Amino acid sequence: YTHLLVRSLGCLKTVFLQRNDPQSAIKTGKVQAMVTPRKVHWVRTSASVDDIKDMRKMLPEGTSINDILLACAAGALRRYLQGRGAVIPSEMNAGVWVSIQGLDLNTGKIEFGNHIGMVYVKLPVHLEDTRERIRNMHEQLDEMKGSPMPFMTHYILKLVGRLPYDIARAIWRISAGKITLSMSNVPGPQSPLMFGPCEIDGMAFVVPTSGTIHEMICILSYNNKVCACVRGSLSLSLSLSLSLSLSLS
């Protein structure tokens, strides 16, 4: 219990007291209004899930597909910054959304609904070598196993959603400043789905961005294919989508 309490306090410190991410070519610090236009770009990469599994065999034992995909996303961000001649920050935090299974431990019944939490991940955009980025992501995510952060952020979000608008907005701005972008990696169906008589060739999902968080990178695997969707400003979304496609190739 003492260990869990210490980790929980550390999570609260990260959510509310961690210093803000520095401004960059990706994090401008501008607050998006509700009417600010937002663009979405979607690409299906040439890499398959099997390709990534083969890549994993050449990496240290324990490396997961998630480690590789998040490291590739960091590589895409690095490529984008280099292409603009922008300074590559030594630290870039991302809020990575994770699913929390709605399982009642007392009855064993699964409660369906939108059960999500978030963990803070430091994207290794400063590392040039792909293997080093993957190793860095593996070490971070491995350390987070058993962390209470996804559950704490889940209930913090539920609590904030019940507060008056002005208070909730103030809390959101404080916490949103800690990250540069949001990310999500979802394992989808690995067999083809049908829509009537037609087979679905690919799919993607997107989450609206708000406040000072301008970019959301969504990665989804479907039928052995890897799809990427980037939401944000027109030029940045398009560039990141193409960079992510190249990184996963």
Side-chain angles (χ1 to χ4, degrees), residues 12 44 81 87-88 96 158 165 184:
L12 287 174
R44 188 172 67 203
L81 292 169
V87 175
I88 297 176
V96 180
K158 290 184 70 172
Y165 173 77
S184 187

Side-chain angles (χ1 to χ4, degrees), residues 89-245:
S90 59
E91 188 173 291
M92 181 181 290
N93 286 289
V96 180
W97 297 95
V98 296
S99 174
I100 300 174
Q101 186 180 24
L103 175 64
D104 188 326
L105 297 178
N106 294 319
T107 63
K109 294 181 178 179
I110 295 177
E111 179 187 351
F112 292 97
N114 192 22
H115 297 273
I116 56 172
M118 188 180 72
V119 295
Y120 287 74
V121 173
K122 297 183 185 299
L123 296 175
V125 294
H126 61 289
L127 296 177
E128 183 177 358
D129 184 70
T130 302
R131 285 178 175 267
E132 282 297 305
R133 286 198 298 271
I134 294 174
R135 183 186 62 79
N136 181 285
M137 288 307 314
H138 172 66
E139 289 177 353
Q140 286 192 64
L141 297 179
D142 194 54
E143 187 177 338
M144 288 181 185
K145 289 179 179 177
S147 169
M149 181 172 284
F151 298 94
M152 294 188 69
T153 53
H154 171 73
Y155 287 108
I156 288 172
L157 286 170
K158 290 184 70 172
L159 174 62
V160 171
R162 296 175 181 272
L163 295 175
Y165 173 77
D166 291 338
I167 297 176
R169 188 175 182 182
I171 295 174
W172 169 254
R173 285 187 175 180
I174 291 172
S175 58
K178 316 299 180 188
I179 62 175
T180 293
L181 72 161
S182 289
M183 295 181 64
S184 187
N185 172 32
V186 177
Q190 291 308 303
S191 56
L193 300 179
M194 304 296 294
F195 186 77
C198 303
E199 180 179 311
I200 297 176
D201 182 58
M203 62 174 66
F205 70 100
V206 67
V207 180
T209 55
S210 63
T212 56
I213 304 174
H214 288 233
E215 304 305 319
M216 173 77 184
I217 297 179
C218 305
I219 304 173
L220 182 140
S221 58
Y222 162 68
N223 193 25
N224 200 36
K225 304 166 186 173
V226 179
C227 306
C229 186
V230 181
R231 176 158 191 165
S233 61
L234 176 62
S235 59
L236 180 53
S237 292
L238 178 58
S239 300
L240 278 181
S241 291
L242 296 175
S243 292
L244 187 56
S245 179

